[in-house]
Amino acid sequence: MTLHIPFDNAYAALPDRFYARLAPTPVAAPGLIRVNHALAQELGIDPAALETPEGVAVLAGNAVPAGADPLAQAYAGHQFGGWVPQLGDGRAILLGDIIDSNGLRRDIQLKGAGRTPFSRMGDGRAWLGPVIREYLVSEAMHALGIPTTRALAAVTTGEQVLREAVLPGAVLTRVASSHIRVGTFQYFAARQDTEALRTLTEHVIARHYPEATSPLDLLDRVIARQAELIAAWMAVGFIHGVMNTDNAHVARETIDYGPCAFVDGYHPDTVFSSIDQFGRYAYARQPEIAVWNMAQFASCLLPLMGEDTEAAIAQATEAVHRFPGLYQDAWLRRFRAKLGLTEARDDDGALIHDLLTLMAAERADFTNVFRGLAEGNARDWMRDRDGFDAWAVRWQARRAAEAATPDAQEAAMRAASPALIPRNHRVEEAIQAAVAGDFAPFHRLTEALGSPFDPAPGTDDLRRPPEPDEAVTRTFCGT
Ligand code: AMP
Ligand code: MG
């Protein structure tokens, strides 16, 4: 059984200054953790071939598969608001892009594949913890129906990585519709390389927005998709944790699962990231940060928006100002669905906010309260029963005004509010076990999270919120 990956390599065909060509750095002893069979098939790759020694060697970076044209992409970005003119793939190697079985272009990238010219002080490696976390959380996001990069495989390297401690090394194979970020545009904008900006814009339009008619139209579409994406995060309690512009994907995939986490006990100010001292990327700030990121993207496109700079600035500003309205519409649509509502009424926003306020006051479990609305036990997850009951009277009256039957409303709620999310303490548990050589909890969690809206029997323990001594309140960047 030989491994065949149908490479096409459109990114490698872009000008040299878009990347540095280099092969992954081999590791000591590749070991297979998991191959994502369904994704492999979607990509037109035989999953069994990926599991052979030859396949595992490719996934570890020890062999470059036929047709690959490996490279590290150049990009820049604002990190926590501070400008960094050159970031780039410091520990990721793009093997190439392929056309998948649906005719869509997909990147295949090894994350943790060794040093590149963009590594700065880093070792180019990843340790097992962030690889397990990204595999679990990105695949959970996909199962939740939220646009995201995917995890094709995870392997161990047989090498040790030095972080706060000496830890086992690993490589994640990441699949994305592309790895083009706002920061990719910023890289060329900062260098006043208008020709590269034009080439990149044409590539992004052809690849992600074929219906876009101009750079301004592209901006509008990127903003609209970004507003949808952030609303989708909010509706499942997802906190990205590092919404830097280099982690803002232009085709709206959730990318870079570093200190990300789902809220257990809900509060709008929730922050998990150990490096986010001031709560810049707190749960409730994500929409305004997205606006900020879109403003950075808009400014990159200005040189392509015609001779009249004043007019271009006015148009770009207008486009960015459309974000809050688009976001609000998407947010309302998603939270209405969580309450079983399909029709729009003026005070729906207040009804939703009032529930969230009750929940925030006692840090009620976000996932279980909303799922409980469908399952009839939301009240059990609240301490303020009177407060909840008073709210529920209004909610029931509002439901009664809908044309849909109670059963249909319940089905809609079940489809909008997952029973299973990758709870932090479970992710942490899977990481701890993996570090000790036991991958069973990781496999079990991966499989359970594959059907979050319709949980399999025997997964009830994964729905339980953490006990106080289990709660994970800090997460660390994926390095
Ligand atoms: P991230 O936090 O993964 O978005 O990474 C931010 C930047 O640091 C990117 O340019 C990464 O490629 C780079 N980077 C992160 N970790 C490492 C590492 N261990 N070695 C080299 N570069 C890294
Ligand atoms: Mg990043």
Side-chain angles (χ1 to χ4, degrees):
M1 186 172 347
T2 52
L3 176 67
H4 171 72
I5 305 178
F7 285 109
D8 190 67
N9 300 343
Y11 206 84
L14 293 171
D16 287 346
R17 58 194 189 284
F18 281 59
Y19 47 77
R21 263 202 175 86
L22 82 165
T25 306
V27 302
L32 178 65
I33 303 173
R34 190 176 181 95
V35 164
N36 184 337
H37 282 231
L39 179 58
Q41 270 149 4
E42 190 180 311
L43 297 176
I45 303 172
D46 177 4
L50 284 175
E51 289 174 338
T52 61
E54 181 202 356
V56 176
V58 165
L59 298 172
N62 283 24
V64 175
D69 193 349
L71 57 86
Q73 294 181 333
Y75 55 85
H78 280 94
Q79 299 195 310
F80 289 89
W83 171 241
V84 187
Q86 181 171 302
L87 286 162
D89 292 330
R91 55 165 167 169
I93 303 274
L94 177 70
L95 290 179
D97 46 77
I98 64 157
I99 307 293
D100 74 11
S101 58
N102 300 312
L104 299 172
R105 189 173 294 280
R106 311 281 286 269
D107 273 5
I108 300 179
Q109 190 198 62
L110 303 181
K111 195 171 168 184
R115 289 182 54 83
T116 77
F118 306 108
S119 296
R120 290 166 295 165
M121 306 301 284
D123 59 4
R125 295 300 184 187
W127 75 273
L128 186 55
V131 167
I132 292 280
R133 175 184 297 277
E134 177 156 348
Y135 195 120
L136 279 169
V137 184
S138 66
E139 287 304 303
M141 291 289 267
H142 173 70
L144 289 166
I146 299 176
T148 178
T149 64
R150 304 287 307 275
L152 176 62
V155 298
T156 50
T157 61
E159 294 180 358
Q160 296 195 313
V161 176
L162 184 63
R163 295 293 181 265
E164 309 85 49
V166 175
L167 296 157
V171 177
L172 180 86
T173 305
R174 179 161 73 179
V175 171
S177 63
S178 82
H179 284 83
I180 304 171
R181 309 131 188 276
V182 168
T184 317
F185 282 81
Q186 289 181 295
Y187 179 86
F188 296 113
R191 285 157 182 75
Q192 300 184 341
D193 187 345
T194 307
E195 194 187 304
L197 272 177
R198 189 166 287 120
T199 304
L200 180 62
T201 302
E202 283 164 8
H203 180 80
V204 166
I205 289 179
R207 188 164 179 170
H208 297 301
Y209 298 89
E211 52 308 325
T213 54
S214 67
L216 176 63
D217 189 34
L218 172 68
L219 175 62
D220 271 328
R221 291 170 192 273
V222 170
I223 286 171
R225 285 198 195 175
Q226 193 72 23
E228 285 285 343
L229 176 66
I230 307 300
W233 290 357
M234 301 302 276
V236 294
F238 178 75
I239 305 172
H240 183 283
V242 245
M243 287 180 68
N244 295 333
T245 55
D246 55 300
N247 294 337
H249 192 265
V250 295
R252 64 88 191 271
E253 283 178 4
T254 309
I255 187 170
D256 269 13
Y257 292 86
C260 63
F262 285 71
V263 281
D264 293 299
Y266 170 72
H267 195 283
D269 298 339
T270 307
V271 175
F272 287 97
S273 170
S274 59
I275 56 169
D276 192 358
Q277 271 177 292
F278 302 107
R280 178 180 169 91
Y281 300 142
Y283 173 81
R285 293 201 65 194
Q286 298 186 117
E288 59 180 291
I289 293 295
V291 174
W292 197 89
N293 290 347
M294 289 299 99
Q296 304 309 314
F297 181 53
S299 76
C300 294
L301 293 178
L302 289 175
L304 308 181
M305 287 173 54
E307 299 283 282
D308 185 344
T309 310
E310 295 288 303
I313 291 174
Q315 288 174 316
T317 306
E318 231 175 86
V320 174
H321 285 175
R322 276 194 286 275
F323 184 102
L326 293 167
Y327 169 75
Q328 190 57 25
D329 288 350
W331 185 88
L332 272 171
R333 191 164 9 85
R334 290 195 174 261
F335 277 85
R336 270 195 192 104
K338 295 173 83 70
L339 302 193
L341 309 174
T342 50
E343 299 164 19
R345 300 286 155 81
D346 282 348
D347 28 12
D348 289 346
L351 186 66
I352 298 162
H353 278 295
D354 290 347
L355 175 59
L356 289 170
T357 302
L358 285 172
M359 291 165 61
E362 56 179 85
R363 293 184 190 263
D365 189 80
F366 185 92
T367 302
N368 288 348
V369 169
F370 279 108
R371 180 70 178 191
L373 296 177
E375 295 186 354
N377 63 355
R379 187 177 190 273
D380 299 349
W381 293 104
M382 302 283 301
R383 281 199 304 275
D384 178 5
R385 302 270 158 94
D386 293 343
F388 180 80
D389 289 344
W391 178 84
V393 169
R394 291 163 57 204
W395 176 48
Q396 294 301 353
R398 174 67 185 81
R399 285 180 71 180
E402 292 260 315
T405 63
D407 279 357
Q409 292 178 21
E410 205 181 288
M413 285 189 269
R414 282 176 192 271
S417 291
L420 289 171
I421 51 152
R423 289 186 182 271
N424 290 322
H425 65 296
R426 293 299 185 181
V427 173
E428 208 49 51
E429 180 183 65
I431 292 172
Q432 297 301 331
V435 169
D438 175 13
F439 290 94
F442 162 67
H443 293 304
R444 176 179 180 239
L445 196 51
T446 302
E447 279 149 33
L449 292 170
S451 27
F453 298 107
D454 186 15
T459 55
D460 277 357
D461 60 313
L462 302 177
R463 300 179 60 176
R464 180 176 62 72
E467 298 295 342
D469 65 327
E470 292 175 314
V472 176
T473 54
R474 279 282 164 272
T475 50
F476 298 89
C477 237
T479 56

Short mmCIF file of all heavy atoms in Angstrom, two decimals, residues 75 79 87-92 111 115 118-126 163 181 242 246-247 256 477-479, ligand 1:
data_model
loop_
_atom_site.label_atom_id
_atom_site.label_comp_id
_atom_site.label_asym_id
_atom_site.label_seq_id
_atom_site.Cartn_x
_atom_site.Cartn_y
_atom_site.Cartn_z
N TYR A 75 4.36 35.82 7.03
CA TYR A 75 3.26 36.70 7.41
C TYR A 75 3.72 37.59 8.55
O TYR A 75 4.79 37.37 9.13
CB TYR A 75 1.97 35.94 7.75
CG TYR A 75 2.06 34.88 8.81
CD1 TYR A 75 1.95 35.19 10.16
CD2 TYR A 75 2.25 33.54 8.46
CE1 TYR A 75 2.00 34.20 11.14
CE2 TYR A 75 2.32 32.55 9.44
CZ TYR A 75 2.19 32.89 10.78
OH TYR A 75 2.27 31.91 11.73
N GLN A 79 0.12 41.37 17.53
CA GLN A 79 -0.07 40.44 18.64
C GLN A 79 -0.42 41.25 19.87
O GLN A 79 0.35 42.11 20.29
CB GLN A 79 1.20 39.63 18.87
CG GLN A 79 1.56 38.80 17.61
CD GLN A 79 2.57 37.72 17.89
OE1 GLN A 79 3.61 37.99 18.47
NE2 GLN A 79 2.28 36.50 17.46
N LEU A 87 6.42 37.58 11.29
CA LEU A 87 6.17 36.38 12.08
C LEU A 87 6.50 35.20 11.17
O LEU A 87 7.63 34.80 11.08
CB LEU A 87 4.71 36.34 12.54
CG LEU A 87 4.36 37.31 13.66
CD1 LEU A 87 2.86 37.52 13.75
CD2 LEU A 87 4.90 36.79 14.98
N GLY A 88 5.51 34.72 10.45
CA GLY A 88 5.74 33.60 9.53
C GLY A 88 5.66 32.27 10.25
O GLY A 88 5.59 32.21 11.48
N ASP A 89 5.66 31.20 9.46
CA ASP A 89 5.60 29.85 10.03
C ASP A 89 6.93 29.54 10.69
O ASP A 89 7.90 29.19 10.02
CB ASP A 89 5.35 28.82 8.93
CG ASP A 89 3.96 28.93 8.32
OD1 ASP A 89 3.02 29.35 9.04
OD2 ASP A 89 3.80 28.57 7.14
N GLY A 90 6.95 29.61 12.00
CA GLY A 90 8.19 29.34 12.73
C GLY A 90 8.35 27.88 13.08
O GLY A 90 9.42 27.44 13.48
N ARG A 91 7.27 27.16 12.99
CA ARG A 91 7.35 25.72 13.31
C ARG A 91 6.35 24.92 12.50
O ARG A 91 5.94 23.85 12.91
CB ARG A 91 7.09 25.50 14.80
CG ARG A 91 5.78 26.10 15.22
CD ARG A 91 5.36 25.60 16.54
NE ARG A 91 4.27 26.41 17.03
CZ ARG A 91 3.55 26.08 18.07
NH1 ARG A 91 3.79 24.99 18.71
NH2 ARG A 91 2.59 26.88 18.45
N ALA A 92 5.95 25.48 11.38
CA ALA A 92 5.00 24.77 10.54
C ALA A 92 5.55 24.72 9.12
O ALA A 92 6.16 25.67 8.65
CB ALA A 92 3.65 25.47 10.56
N LYS A 111 2.58 20.82 11.68
CA LYS A 111 2.83 21.82 12.72
C LYS A 111 3.73 21.19 13.79
O LYS A 111 3.35 20.18 14.38
CB LYS A 111 1.49 22.27 13.32
CG LYS A 111 1.57 23.54 14.13
CD LYS A 111 0.18 24.04 14.49
CE LYS A 111 0.23 25.14 15.54
NZ LYS A 111 -1.11 25.57 15.95
N ARG A 115 12.65 23.86 12.71
CA ARG A 115 12.95 25.30 12.55
C ARG A 115 12.81 25.73 11.10
O ARG A 115 13.00 24.95 10.17
CB ARG A 115 14.35 25.61 13.07
CG ARG A 115 14.47 25.51 14.59
CD ARG A 115 15.89 25.87 15.05
NE ARG A 115 16.29 27.18 14.53
CZ ARG A 115 15.97 28.34 15.10
NH1 ARG A 115 15.28 28.36 16.22
NH2 ARG A 115 16.34 29.47 14.56
N PHE A 118 11.73 31.60 9.88
CA PHE A 118 10.86 32.46 10.68
C PHE A 118 10.81 32.06 12.15
O PHE A 118 9.98 32.55 12.91
CB PHE A 118 9.43 32.43 10.11
CG PHE A 118 9.36 32.77 8.64
CD1 PHE A 118 9.09 31.79 7.70
CD2 PHE A 118 9.59 34.07 8.20
CE1 PHE A 118 9.03 32.09 6.34
CE2 PHE A 118 9.54 34.39 6.84
CZ PHE A 118 9.27 33.39 5.91
N SER A 119 11.70 31.17 12.56
CA SER A 119 11.59 30.61 13.92
C SER A 119 12.05 31.57 15.02
O SER A 119 11.74 31.34 16.19
CB SER A 119 12.39 29.31 14.04
OG SER A 119 11.86 28.32 13.19
N ARG A 120 12.80 32.59 14.67
CA ARG A 120 13.37 33.46 15.69
C ARG A 120 14.02 32.62 16.80
O ARG A 120 14.85 31.80 16.52
CB ARG A 120 12.29 34.40 16.25
CG ARG A 120 11.88 35.47 15.20
CD ARG A 120 10.62 36.18 15.59
NE ARG A 120 9.51 35.25 15.60
CZ ARG A 120 8.33 35.47 16.15
NH1 ARG A 120 8.12 36.60 16.80
NH2 ARG A 120 7.36 34.57 16.09
N MET A 121 13.59 32.78 18.05
CA MET A 121 14.25 32.05 19.14
C MET A 121 13.65 30.65 19.36
O MET A 121 14.14 29.91 20.20
CB MET A 121 14.13 32.85 20.45
CG MET A 121 14.64 34.28 20.38
SD MET A 121 16.38 34.36 19.91
CE MET A 121 17.13 33.87 21.47
N GLY A 122 12.58 30.33 18.62
CA GLY A 122 11.87 29.08 18.89
C GLY A 122 12.60 27.86 18.36
O GLY A 122 13.48 27.96 17.51
N ASP A 123 12.21 26.70 18.86
CA ASP A 123 12.86 25.45 18.45
C ASP A 123 12.17 24.78 17.27
O ASP A 123 12.60 23.73 16.81
CB ASP A 123 12.94 24.48 19.64
CG ASP A 123 11.57 24.15 20.20
OD1 ASP A 123 10.55 24.59 19.63
OD2 ASP A 123 11.50 23.43 21.22
N GLY A 124 11.07 25.38 16.82
CA GLY A 124 10.36 24.81 15.68
C GLY A 124 9.52 23.59 16.02
O GLY A 124 8.95 22.96 15.13
N ARG A 125 9.43 23.27 17.28
CA ARG A 125 8.73 22.05 17.68
C ARG A 125 7.46 22.33 18.47
O ARG A 125 7.23 23.46 18.91
CB ARG A 125 9.67 21.18 18.52
CG ARG A 125 10.89 20.66 17.75
CD ARG A 125 10.45 19.81 16.56
NE ARG A 125 11.59 19.21 15.86
CZ ARG A 125 11.48 18.54 14.73
NH1 ARG A 125 10.32 18.41 14.12
NH2 ARG A 125 12.55 18.02 14.14
N ALA A 126 6.67 21.31 18.65
CA ALA A 126 5.48 21.38 19.49
C ALA A 126 5.57 20.25 20.50
O ALA A 126 6.15 19.21 20.21
CB ALA A 126 4.23 21.21 18.64
N ARG A 163 10.22 22.95 27.56
CA ARG A 163 9.34 24.09 27.82
C ARG A 163 9.54 24.46 29.29
O ARG A 163 10.67 24.59 29.71
CB ARG A 163 7.88 23.74 27.50
CG ARG A 163 7.64 23.46 26.01
CD ARG A 163 7.82 24.72 25.13
NE ARG A 163 7.57 24.48 23.71
CZ ARG A 163 8.50 24.19 22.79
NH1 ARG A 163 9.77 24.11 23.14
NH2 ARG A 163 8.18 23.98 21.54
N ARG A 181 -3.87 34.60 6.29
CA ARG A 181 -4.37 35.34 7.44
C ARG A 181 -4.41 36.83 7.11
O ARG A 181 -3.77 37.28 6.14
CB ARG A 181 -3.41 35.13 8.62
CG ARG A 181 -3.08 33.69 8.89
CD ARG A 181 -1.57 33.49 9.04
NE ARG A 181 -1.22 32.04 9.11
CZ ARG A 181 -1.24 31.32 10.20
NH1 ARG A 181 -1.54 31.89 11.35
NH2 ARG A 181 -0.95 30.04 10.18
N VAL A 242 -6.36 34.05 21.51
CA VAL A 242 -5.29 34.84 20.88
C VAL A 242 -5.77 35.36 19.54
O VAL A 242 -5.29 34.95 18.49
CB VAL A 242 -3.98 34.08 20.58
CG1 VAL A 242 -2.83 34.62 21.38
CG2 VAL A 242 -4.13 32.59 20.71
N ASP A 246 -2.56 37.72 13.01
CA ASP A 246 -1.94 36.58 12.33
C ASP A 246 -2.75 35.31 12.58
O ASP A 246 -2.50 34.28 11.95
CB ASP A 246 -0.49 36.38 12.80
CG ASP A 246 -0.38 36.24 14.30
OD1 ASP A 246 -0.77 37.18 15.01
OD2 ASP A 246 0.08 35.18 14.76
N ASN A 247 -3.71 35.39 13.48
CA ASN A 247 -4.59 34.24 13.72
C ASN A 247 -6.00 34.51 13.20
O ASN A 247 -6.96 33.83 13.60
CB ASN A 247 -4.64 33.91 15.22
CG ASN A 247 -3.29 33.42 15.74
OD1 ASN A 247 -2.46 32.94 14.98
ND2 ASN A 247 -3.07 33.56 17.03
N ASP A 256 -5.53 28.38 14.80
CA ASP A 256 -4.56 28.51 15.90
C ASP A 256 -5.20 28.31 17.25
O ASP A 256 -5.58 29.25 17.95
CB ASP A 256 -3.79 29.83 15.82
CG ASP A 256 -2.52 29.63 14.99
OD1 ASP A 256 -2.43 28.58 14.33
OD2 ASP A 256 -1.64 30.48 15.02
N CYS A 477 -0.30 29.12 25.99
CA CYS A 477 -0.12 29.21 24.55
C CYS A 477 0.45 27.90 24.03
O CYS A 477 1.19 27.21 24.71
CB CYS A 477 0.81 30.38 24.21
SG CYS A 477 -0.01 31.50 23.10
N GLY A 478 0.08 27.61 22.81
CA GLY A 478 0.42 26.32 22.22
C GLY A 478 1.88 26.09 21.90
O GLY A 478 2.20 25.17 21.15
N THR A 479 2.77 26.86 22.40
CA THR A 479 4.17 26.65 22.05
C THR A 479 4.79 25.65 22.98
O THR A 479 5.39 24.73 22.63
CB THR A 479 4.94 27.97 22.14
OG1 THR A 479 4.76 28.49 23.44
CG2 THR A 479 4.46 28.92 21.11
P1 AMP B 1 1.24 31.02 17.47
O1 AMP B 1 1.18 31.43 18.90
O2 AMP B 1 1.28 29.51 17.28
O3 AMP B 1 0.23 31.70 16.59
O4 AMP B 1 2.66 31.48 16.99
C1 AMP B 1 3.06 32.83 16.87
C2 AMP B 1 4.34 32.89 16.09
O5 AMP B 1 5.41 32.24 16.81
C3 AMP B 1 4.29 32.22 14.75
O6 AMP B 1 5.15 32.94 13.90
C4 AMP B 1 4.83 30.86 15.05
O7 AMP B 1 5.29 30.18 13.92
C5 AMP B 1 5.92 31.16 16.04
N1 AMP B 1 6.19 30.04 16.93
C6 AMP B 1 5.39 29.57 17.89
N2 AMP B 1 5.98 28.54 18.53
C7 AMP B 1 7.17 28.33 17.95
C8 AMP B 1 8.26 27.42 18.17
N3 AMP B 1 8.21 26.49 19.11
N4 AMP B 1 9.33 27.53 17.38
C9 AMP B 1 9.39 28.48 16.43
N5 AMP B 1 8.43 29.38 16.18
C10 AMP B 1 7.32 29.31 16.94
#
